[in-house]
Structures are given as structure tokens and as C-alpha cells.
Amino acid sequence: MMATPLGLDAPCLRGKLRKCSSNIVTKFTASKITGRGFSRGTQVTGLLQESDKHNKWYGIPVLLQKLYESSHPNSDLLQILSSRLSFEAMTCVTEDRKTAQESTFPNMYTFDLFGGVDVMNEDLVKDCLSVLYNCGICIEGVTKSLAARDDFVLFLFTLMTNKKTFLQTATLIEDILGVKKEMIPLEGIPNLSGLVQSFDQQQLANFCRILSVTISEPDAGNDDKHTLLAKNAHQKKTASPSRAEINQVTLLNIPGFIERLCKLATRKVSEATGANFLQELEDWYTWLDNALVLDALMQMATEETEQKSSDESSLATSPLRHRLPQSMKIVHEIMYKVEVLYVLCVLLMGRQRNQVHKMLAEFRLIPGLNNLFDKLIWRKFTSSNHVVHGQNENCDCSPEISFKIQFLRLLQSFSDHHENKYLLLNSQELNELSAISMKANIPEVEALVNTDRSLVCDGKKGLLTRLLAVMKREPPDSSFRFWQARAVESFLRGATSYADQMFLLKRGLLEHILFCIIDSGCTSRDVLQSYFDLLGELMKFNIDAFKRFNKYVNTPEKFQAFLTQINSSLVDSNMLVRCIVLSLDRFESQTEDVKVVEVLSECSLLSYMARVENRLSFLFRLINIINVQTLTQENVSCLNTSLVILMLARRKAKLPFYLNALREKEYAEKYPGCMLNNFHNLLRFWQHHYLNKDKDSTCLENSSCIPFSYWKETVSVLLGLDRTSLCAIVRYIDEPFEDLDRDLLED
């Protein structure tokens, strides 16, 4: 057969295919010869018109064909398509994005079937963006397809310069980044610095939703659940710095970026300007995928009605529809702040932490949040009996709950092991710390002396004191207690400060914690763990705290209830056990102090830990509840607490006694070699993990007041190969049971 009639010179194939016969057979034949096949269902013109009614395509293929041929992105065609698809997208959202069926969203499926997504690739405008977003909601795979095209994703960012299409663009980008496998490089966005600087405050807050995906390490929220073996192996394979870390640096290099975030985080609702009510409604549309937002909005409106129900004249002159916009503004501002605080929190935990700290102090973030505390952050108590969420998990919380948790996370990150923690106090409270140190005849800590008084909190109370007040009024099982305790604990972490402890003890914190643990009926393991950790930091090396403890726990029944809580989960309480062991060791060396001697003789907790059989009991269980394969960031503290017990024994030349006790325990339970081999493997892992050049050992040193060199030395002694050494674990393992898991750490 000759190819001439349908060859390249055939009139139908010289760029004028649309003007030729609409016979579908002819077109398919031509496509086979030329290789120019159909790319969209809309090219099959005659078939579309004949089949539209029969197949119930609702005229969408014909609309797409006209749109493709007209190339007028602002035409009425887009508006018609957008309105049809938007209705189905809203239906999908309100049904919690249940598995979509073709019969459920016929317009959307027809649109995708005939190449509608491809038609929208260039000259994107508001309606195009809405169409793409709605398709992504209803049809699985559309968003992933868009996410796979890096050039298209980066191009979308350039559309954010247009204020009329900003919200639609931001919403589409957020959905795309949520399914994109690789994190995008922020430095690849054309003129990122200029783009961010062109945003108004409202746009910048929305942009933070996108940024949160680009600066957070993948699965960072589940760190406590990942085994340390897996994490260490992953770190060996992963390039450093990571893409998230590079993106963080890119953001910090944008002039004025952190300052604007601080202003957003601390502005009052009355200061939020620039949008009329209709613009607010349009902006609000981007949040409608969370029905709890609207629930919260209506709840606030209802509360306003109830507050004014006694004043009939007020209700008559102020109908609900007039007050609703103000409620909307409050929730809207809260949601903005959630996104901003999240970004600041991630940056505070990154490698540029000190640079971020300096800027947050300079731009008075903490005093600004302090001024908002009563009027916005904790203006009312919100029920929060939900599961405690990790840093990066999807959260179905209401805006108020999310805001409070994000605020508490920020305080935790801000205070943790950093001298800027004293910015959480006001000038009078700083003076109080100085007075405590003077009375105790101890020097003030250097960080307190160096605190810039012009950057601390204003008003009668600092942020830490306000937090303590609301913490005491929180219901027993509220998950806010978890985050509140973590935030306060972070203020105490690091090198132990007697003045810091006494500042909190004077405000009744110890009694509150003991009430929660013993008397409140609290059953949440997360809350109890956070309170155990906080109690450990509050009492460590502080004889006054142990005296207060004995005054509160003043009956055998209360003390037994306290021990029951500790023993119910050593993973949760082991940091407190470590604190008691360390404190007892120090107090026993201070017998020239009358007060110390008195408390040692009277305190039930110290007397209990002074008995060697009780310390051995804790040691046995701490070693048995972990092994190398199950070690995580959460339970590795059990290994370090067992090491503390043995280091203190070694100081007193009692290490052989403890090791022999472990051996006897094994034989008594008819598992010879099991516990000691497990401990041997754990210590080998400890060396691999903590002697890594990237690991920061100062936390272990500061928390125990034991030099890290002594930690390393003790582990080396325990792992010694000389079977004649009284301090080597191998001496206490009979040869038939030696090295049960020899290859566990070998790659």
C-alpha cells in the first residue's frame, strides 16, 4: 500500500486536522501512519456530540473541546466548568473524602476522562486552579500526576504574585506538596525572596501552610516510635544537611522574614486589617475541608448569645449575623497563628537554632505572646481529651486546641537548654531569682546575669507564671497537661538551677504534680510521664523539694499509691527514678548539713531508695524491659538510668556486687546469661550511638552532673574482655551462655 494519500503531504495532516472530515476511522488511520495520535478525548469531535447525551457526559467534553480551541482562559467556558465541578468537590469534602465512585461525581470523572487536567496546563488563572484543585479532591491520582512535574510545581509559585489567584494557587500547591514524594528545593523557586516580601500579612500566614511541608523532616513527628537502630542506619544513608535543613537556611536568608512572622504571631485580632467581609469569606473557603472549623465558629457565636441572653435590649440591637464576622475574625486569626507558630517551632529545633533564637528575642516574640495570653491564647478553657499528637501528625483538633498545643510546643522548644529561657519572666520575677540565689548564698547563673531586661515580658506576670496558673486549673486527663508539663520542664532542663527550682516550688508546682499523680485519678500515660519527668527536674539535688514531698506524701497509703504509679510503667517514670538515685548520692555526701541529715532520716522516698534491694529491683527491670532491637528515643532513657545506678556503685567500689546480683537473679529465674548478655549488647549499642561525632553528650552530662568522660569510662570497663576483671560483665556470664547475640550490631 502506498503511503502518499495519508503521508506528510496529505492536506488533512498539514496542521489543519480540525478542518478535515470528523470521521473517527480516518483520524485513527492517520494517527497510525504519522505517529500523531489522539492526546485528549475531546479531539474525537463527532463521537463526542453523538455520544454525549447517551452516556450522560453533561456536555463537558464539548465544553473542553471549545476551551482547547479557543485558548481564552478567562472565557465563560471556564466559569461554567468551574461551577459544575466545584459543587461536586464540596460534596466530596463534606463526606470526609470517602472513596469516590464515578456515579458519585459524574462531572469530575468526565472532565478527567477527556483530558481536562491537561488542558489546564498553561495560562492558569483562578478558574483553572479551582478546577485542578477540585479534580484532585475527587479523583485519585490527579494530584500525584501534577506533583510529578517539578517544573509545573515551581511554576505554580510564580502565580502567587497575583493577589486575585493567590488563595487558589496556595491551596493547590499545598495539596500537591502533600503527596509529592520528594521535598522541593525552596531555592529553586524563581525570586523566592521577592515573592515572600511581596506578600501581605494575610498571604504570608497562608504561605506558612506551604512552608511547613518544605522545612519539616519526614516522619519527624514519629521520632519516639522509630527504633534507634533504624534511625542510625537511615542517617548513614542520608546526605547531610538534609533538604529540609537547606530549605530552613533559605528561609532564614530572606530579609525580614522572621520579623514578619513574629509580628503575625503576636498581633491582636483588632490589628488584623486589609480584608473586607467578602474577602474574608473567600479566604475562609480554603479552610472548609475541616468541618471542626465551622463547628468552632458556630460554638463561639452560641456562647456570645448565651453571654448576652440576660440583656434583651442587647440581643435586639445586635443580631447574630452582625456578631458572626467578629467570631470569624477570631478563629481566622487563631488559625493563622497556628501555621506561623509551627514554622517558628520547626526553625527553633533546626541546626540554625541559635540564629533563630537571637532573632526571636530581638523581635520580642515572647513578650508579644505574653500580652496575648489572657485575651486570645487562653481566653477560655477548651475541652481536650483527644490523643496527644506528635509534631508532624495530621490533627483533627479544633482551631483553639491546635493553637494552644502549638503555643506550648513553641515554649518548649524556646526554653529547652537555652539561656533565652529567662525571657519568659518579667523584671520583678528575674529579681526574685536573684534574691533566691543571694539568700541561699550561691552565685547567680550566668544566663540570668546576661539576660537583656529590655526583651523580657511586660506586665504583672511573665509567660511562665501565667502558664503555671492555667496548668493548675486543667482537668486531670486533659492532654494540655502533657504539653504544659513539657513546656515547664524545658525551663528546668540543662544544668540544674536551685533558684529556678525554688521559683517554681514557691508557686505550689510540686504539690500540684503530686496531686495529679496520686489523688486526681489521672490515667493518661502521656500526662503521667510528663509529670514524672517534670517532678524529676524539679526535685533533683534540691533538699527543700524532698522536704515538701514528705509533707504532702504524709501517709503510708499515699506513699504506696505513689510507688504504684512509678512501678506501673518504668519507661514513663525512669527519669524520676534517676533523679532520686542521683539526689540520694549527693545528699549522702553532705552529712555535715543539719537540714540534709534531717530530711534523709525523715523522707520516705529517700529512705526507700537508700535500701540496696530496691535499687537492684529497679536495675533488674530497667535492663529487662529494653533490648537493642526495641530501643527508641523514648525508652533509651531506661538504659541511661541503669548506667547511672551502676556508675554511682562504681564510685563506691560496689560495681562487682551489683553485677553479681544480676547473675544471681538470672539463675534464680532459670535464665542464665539472658539479662547480662542483653545488657552487654545494649552497652555496645550505647558506644555506637553516643560516641558518634554528631551526638551531643552535654545532655547526659548536665542532667546527671557526671562528666561524660566517666560515662564512657564506665561503659568501657563493663565491656572489658578480661574475664578476670571484677568489673567486666563477661566475668559473670558462664562460657556456655556467652555472646547469645554476637552478630546483632555487625553490619
Side-chain angles (χ1 to χ4, degrees):
M1 180 183 292
M2 295 181 64
T4 307
L6 290 174
L8 294 178
D9 292 330
C12 287
L13 300 175
R14 289 201 299 265
K16 300 179 180 179
L17 193 58
R18 294 182 187 138
K19 296 181 181 180
C20 294
S21 169
S22 60
N23 186 302
I24 189 170
V25 177
T26 304
K27 292 184 179 181
F28 269 119
T29 304
S31 70
K32 290 179 181 179
I33 296 172
T34 64
R36 299 174 185 175
F38 295 104
S39 60
R40 296 172 301 282
T42 54
Q43 290 175 295
V44 192
T45 310
L47 181 63
L48 294 182
Q49 295 171 342
E50 294 171 11
S51 304
D52 188 281
K53 186 175 181 180
H54 175 73
N55 291 296
K56 295 183 179 180
W57 289 336
Y58 308 101
I60 287 179
V62 176
L63 278 174
L64 283 173
Q65 184 196 29
K66 291 179 180 178
L67 179 63
Y68 177 75
E69 291 176 346
S70 67
S71 298
H72 294 309
N74 288 311
S75 68
D76 293 339
L77 298 173
L78 271 175
Q79 295 182 18
I80 296 171
L81 275 172
S82 182
S83 62
R84 291 189 184 183
L85 303 183
S86 294
F87 177 78
E88 289 186 358
M90 286 298 296
T91 303
C92 181
V93 168
T94 55
E95 292 181 0
D96 294 328
R97 304 195 184 197
K98 297 174 183 175
T99 304
Q101 302 294 328
E102 182 175 348
S103 59
T104 311
F105 309 114
N107 289 334
M108 203 69 74
Y109 271 88
T110 305
F111 178 83
D112 183 53
L113 178 66
F114 286 92
V117 173
D118 295 326
V119 175
M120 302 292 162
N121 283 341
E122 296 183 10
D123 299 319
L124 294 175
V125 291
K126 192 173 183 178
D127 289 324
C128 293
L129 293 164
S130 294
V131 168
L132 290 175
Y133 172 71
N134 292 332
C135 274
I137 289 177
C138 295
I139 304 175
E140 184 179 358
V142 169
T143 307
K144 288 183 179 179
S145 174
L146 295 174
R149 300 166 55 184
D150 292 340
D151 57 339
F152 174 73
V153 176
L154 294 177
F155 167 70
L156 281 177
F157 281 92
T158 66
L159 300 179
M160 300 184 85
T161 56
N162 186 339
K163 292 192 175 184
K164 291 182 179 180
T165 61
F166 175 87
L167 284 172
Q168 284 74 19
T169 308
T171 307
L172 180 59
I173 291 175
E174 185 185 353
D175 269 25
I176 288 175
L177 296 187
V179 300
K180 191 169 176 61
K181 292 182 179 180
E182 303 85 15
M183 190 176 292
I184 67 164
L186 288 182
E187 69 269 21
I189 299 173
N191 191 24
L192 175 64
S193 180
L195 178 67
V196 172
Q197 289 175 316
S198 72
F199 292 155
D200 59 30
Q201 290 296 77
Q202 185 169 314
Q203 291 173 319
L204 183 60
N206 276 308
F207 191 58
C208 284
R209 287 172 66 93
I210 294 171
L211 292 180
S212 64
V213 183
T214 68
I215 62 175
S216 303
E217 296 291 354
D219 297 323
N222 295 320
D223 265 359
D224 287 351
K225 308 305 178 187
H226 288 169
T227 66
L228 294 181
L229 270 180
K231 287 178 65 178
N232 288 351
H234 177 72
Q235 287 173 358
K236 288 180 181 178
K237 299 176 183 177
T238 306
S240 184
S242 67
R243 167 50 57 194
E245 290 169 336
I246 295 172
N247 283 346
Q248 291 174 23
V249 173
T250 301
L251 284 182
L252 292 174
N253 288 335
I254 297 176
F257 176 70
I258 295 296
E259 181 178 11
R260 292 186 66 191
L261 290 192
C262 289
K263 287 181 178 178
L264 261 173
T266 59
R267 75 177 181 181
K268 300 175 182 177
V269 177
S270 59
E271 295 172 347
T273 58
N276 61 35
F277 183 53
L278 291 178
Q279 287 174 326
E280 285 183 17
L281 284 176
E282 183 181 16
D283 195 0
W284 189 264
Y285 173 82
T286 66
W287 306 88
L288 288 181
D289 59 344
N290 187 347
L292 286 172
V293 170
L294 296 181
D295 291 344
L297 180 62
M298 294 310 299
Q299 177 66 28
M300 294 167 67
T302 302
E303 289 172 359
E304 289 181 22
T305 303
E306 292 172 352
Q307 290 170 4
K308 296 185 178 182
S309 59
S310 59
D311 188 346
E312 294 182 3
S313 62
S314 173
L315 281 174
T317 58
S318 181
L320 180 61
R321 69 176 183 273
H322 289 166
R323 287 180 281 122
L324 198 57
Q326 179 60 20
S327 298
M328 182 179 289
K329 285 181 180 178
I330 292 173
V331 178
H332 215 169
E333 186 66 19
I334 284 173
M335 290 190 296
Y336 282 157
K337 292 186 186 319
V338 169
E339 306 303 332
V340 172
L341 292 182
Y342 179 82
V343 170
L344 290 176
C345 192
V346 172
L347 293 175
L348 265 177
M349 295 187 294
R351 294 198 179 195
Q352 277 65 44
R353 186 184 187 213
N354 288 333
Q355 178 188 354
V356 176
H357 247 294
K358 184 178 179 181
M359 289 190 282
L360 297 187
E362 178 185 350
F363 302 131
R364 294 180 57 81
L365 174 67
I366 297 302
L369 292 175
N370 187 47
N371 293 334
L372 288 179
F373 190 87
D374 292 330
K375 294 182 179 179
L376 186 65
I377 300 173
W378 233 277
R379 61 195 182 89
K380 65 176 183 179
F381 280 82
T382 312
S383 176
S384 174
N385 294 322
H386 62 283
V387 176
V388 177
H389 294 288
Q391 180 80 8
N392 224 22
E393 292 182 50
N394 292 326
C395 180
D396 58 359
C397 306
S398 72
E400 295 247 1
I401 291 175
S402 298
F403 184 36
K404 288 178 178 178
I405 292 177
Q406 210 55 256
F407 164 76
L408 293 170
R409 283 173 170 166
L410 179 78
L411 290 193
Q412 178 187 358
S413 303
F414 188 86
S415 301
D416 194 19
H417 291 89
H418 202 281
E419 59 185 17
N420 275 354
K421 68 180 185 178
Y422 290 111
L423 298 183
L424 271 63
L425 309 181
N426 64 18
S427 293
Q428 292 81 7
E429 291 163 346
L430 292 178
N431 292 338
E432 183 181 340
L433 285 178
S434 300
I436 292 171
S437 297
M438 186 177 297
K439 183 178 179 181
N441 197 28
I442 56 177
E444 293 182 71
V445 295
E446 186 177 353
L448 176 61
V449 176
N450 294 336
T451 298
D452 186 342
R453 298 291 181 111
S454 68
L455 301 177
V456 302
C457 291
D458 308 313
K460 295 181 179 179
K461 294 180 180 179
L463 200 47
L464 180 63
T465 305
R466 293 183 191 277
L467 177 57
L468 289 174
V470 299
M471 183 178 177
K472 293 179 182 179
R473 303 203 301 270
E474 207 64 50
D477 281 316
S478 166
S479 65
F480 288 140
R481 280 183 179 262
F482 171 85
W483 296 109
Q484 289 163 344
R486 283 282 179 255
V488 177
E489 182 207 349
S490 69
F491 180 80
L492 291 171
R493 290 180 71 183
T496 303
S497 167
Y498 174 81
D500 293 352
Q501 291 173 325
M502 292 306 299
F503 179 85
L504 297 174
L505 286 170
K506 288 171 65 176
R507 285 158 176 78
L509 180 58
L510 183 137
E511 289 78 10
H512 164 71
I513 297 172
L514 292 176
F515 171 80
C516 180
I517 294 173
I518 300 172
D519 299 317
S520 73
C522 177
T523 57
S524 166
R525 296 313 314 175
D526 292 306
V527 172
L528 286 172
Q529 180 185 12
S530 65
Y531 271 62
F532 282 133
D533 291 349
L534 175 55
L535 187 62
E537 292 295 337
L538 187 62
M539 295 181 68
K540 191 189 303 174
F541 306 132
N542 192 310
I543 198 67
D544 296 285
F546 280 89
K547 188 173 183 178
R548 281 175 176 257
F549 175 94
N550 215 44
K551 186 176 180 180
Y552 186 93
V553 186
N554 53 8
T555 66
E557 292 76 20
K558 275 193 171 185
F559 184 66
Q560 189 55 50
F562 182 74
L563 285 181
T564 299
Q565 289 282 47
I566 287 181
N567 289 319
S568 64
S569 177
L570 270 183
V571 172
D572 298 328
S573 63
N574 82 88
M575 295 296 289
L576 176 60
V577 172
R578 190 190 307 182
C579 147
I580 301 167
V581 170
L582 286 165
S583 300
L584 174 66
D585 182 75
R586 176 173 293 190
F587 295 154
E588 286 178 339
S589 66
Q590 297 174 337
T591 51
E592 71 285 352
D593 189 317
V594 176
K595 183 166 72 171
V596 170
V597 173
E598 178 187 343
V599 175
L600 274 173
S601 62
E602 295 178 355
C603 181
S604 54
L605 188 57
L606 290 173
S607 298
Y608 180 85
M609 196 60 75
R611 294 196 284 274
V612 67
E613 63 270 23
N614 292 331
R615 292 201 297 278
L616 282 171
S617 175
F618 280 123
L619 181 63
F620 296 154
R621 284 182 292 150
L622 286 167
I623 294 174
N624 273 333
I625 59 180
I626 51 175
N627 59 59
V628 172
Q629 291 130 318
T630 61
L631 273 182
T632 66
Q633 196 63 47
E634 182 180 17
N635 63 28
V636 71
S637 57
C638 294
L639 173 57
N640 289 323
T641 297
S642 64
L643 259 178
V644 165
I645 294 173
L646 292 178
M647 283 190 292
L648 298 181
R650 181 174 172 237
R651 278 183 175 177
K652 297 179 179 180
K654 293 183 179 179
L655 185 54
F657 170 80
Y658 278 76
L659 294 176
N660 190 60
L662 289 173
R663 182 178 185 277
E664 290 179 355
K665 180 72 171 177
E666 286 181 333
Y667 273 90
E669 297 187 358
K670 296 181 171 53
Y671 291 107
C674 184
M675 190 188 310
L676 285 169
N677 270 296
N678 180 47
F679 190 47
H680 194 274
N681 284 319
L682 285 166
L683 293 181
R684 288 169 62 202
F685 173 83
W686 189 96
Q687 285 185 324
H688 280 266
H689 186 70
Y690 283 102
L691 302 187
N692 185 304
K693 63 181 180 180
D694 293 329
K695 294 295 178 184
D696 185 2
S697 60
T698 57
C699 291
L700 288 179
E701 191 167 88
N702 287 337
S703 67
S704 63
C705 288
I706 298 175
F708 188 65
S709 58
Y710 195 75
W711 285 77
K712 292 191 295 183
E713 185 182 308
T714 301
V715 172
S716 294
V717 168
L718 287 166
L719 292 178
L721 300 177
D722 184 0
R723 296 184 64 86
T724 65
S725 170
L726 294 175
C727 294
I729 291 175
V730 68
R731 176 185 174 88
Y732 300 90
I733 305 176
D734 292 336
E735 288 192 26
F737 310 110
E738 190 178 333
D739 293 330
L740 294 179
D741 295 312
R742 176 188 294 274
D743 298 327
L744 190 62
L745 294 174
E746 295 177 7
D747 298 328

